[in-house]
Amino acid sequence: MLEPRLTHEALRTRANKVRAAAHDNDDSRLRWEFDRLTAALAEHLAVESPTVARLPLSTRDELRQGQERIRAFVEQLGRELEVGENRSTYESRVAYLDRLLEQQDEAERRGFHSVSVKV
């Protein structure tokens, strides 16, 4: 079972804090919230990995692709944050991350439910 701070809902809350900091143009808070999101995501993926590994191949591949899409997007956001790129669209890009997290949560619920696996 995932700790409450590592659930998809908690990750989405973290993403919304990043988005709020971007909206406020608060670079210090933005970096701090982004670092917290990145750490929580890494821990979430590490904790979830053994459960995903036990799923049937097609489900496992689907979920891992979603995880990789999220991980790659977060890495891209981190690079943009470091060099100051896309500041005008950062808030909307983090909103997109929130949608990716929501989609992944739904996919995992279906995948885990189909084989009665508890995270």
Side-chain angles (χ1 to χ4, degrees):
M1 185 76 129
L2 286 175
E3 292 181 32
R5 67 184 178 82
L6 295 177
T7 64
H8 286 102
E9 192 60 37
L11 293 173
R12 293 183 67 207
T13 298
R14 287 261 138 248
N16 285 320
K17 289 181 178 196
V18 172
R19 188 170 67 187
H23 175 79
D24 294 344
N25 292 314
D26 186 338
D27 282 346
S28 175
R29 192 172 101 228
L30 176 60
R31 290 176 193 284
W32 189 79
E33 292 293 358
F34 185 81
D35 287 345
R36 291 185 70 194
L37 170 63
T38 303
L41 178 63
E43 189 172 357
H44 172 91
L45 294 174
V47 168
E48 189 175 73
S49 184
T51 303
V52 172
R54 293 193 311 263
L55 295 172
L57 183 60
S58 62
T59 303
R60 181 174 59 225
D61 287 348
E62 175 191 354
L63 296 184
R64 285 185 175 162
Q65 287 171 3
Q67 290 173 335
E68 184 52 36
R69 187 172 31 256
I70 291 167
R71 184 187 348 253
F73 193 73
V74 167
E75 288 174 4
Q76 181 181 348
L77 287 173
R79 287 189 299 273
E80 291 171 9
L81 186 60
E82 287 303 311
V83 296
E85 285 183 12
N86 299 324
R87 271 299 209 261
S88 63
T89 62
Y90 207 80
E91 184 179 354
S92 65
R93 293 174 53 67
V94 176
Y96 175 71
L97 172 62
D98 182 53
R99 287 191 299 278
L100 289 177
L101 289 166
E102 181 180 28
Q103 291 169 358
Q104 185 69 15
D105 185 29
E106 291 170 6
E108 289 178 10
R109 286 178 193 270
R110 282 190 315 271
F112 296 150
H113 178 72
S114 70
V115 293
S116 298
V117 174
K118 298 287 184 205
V119 182

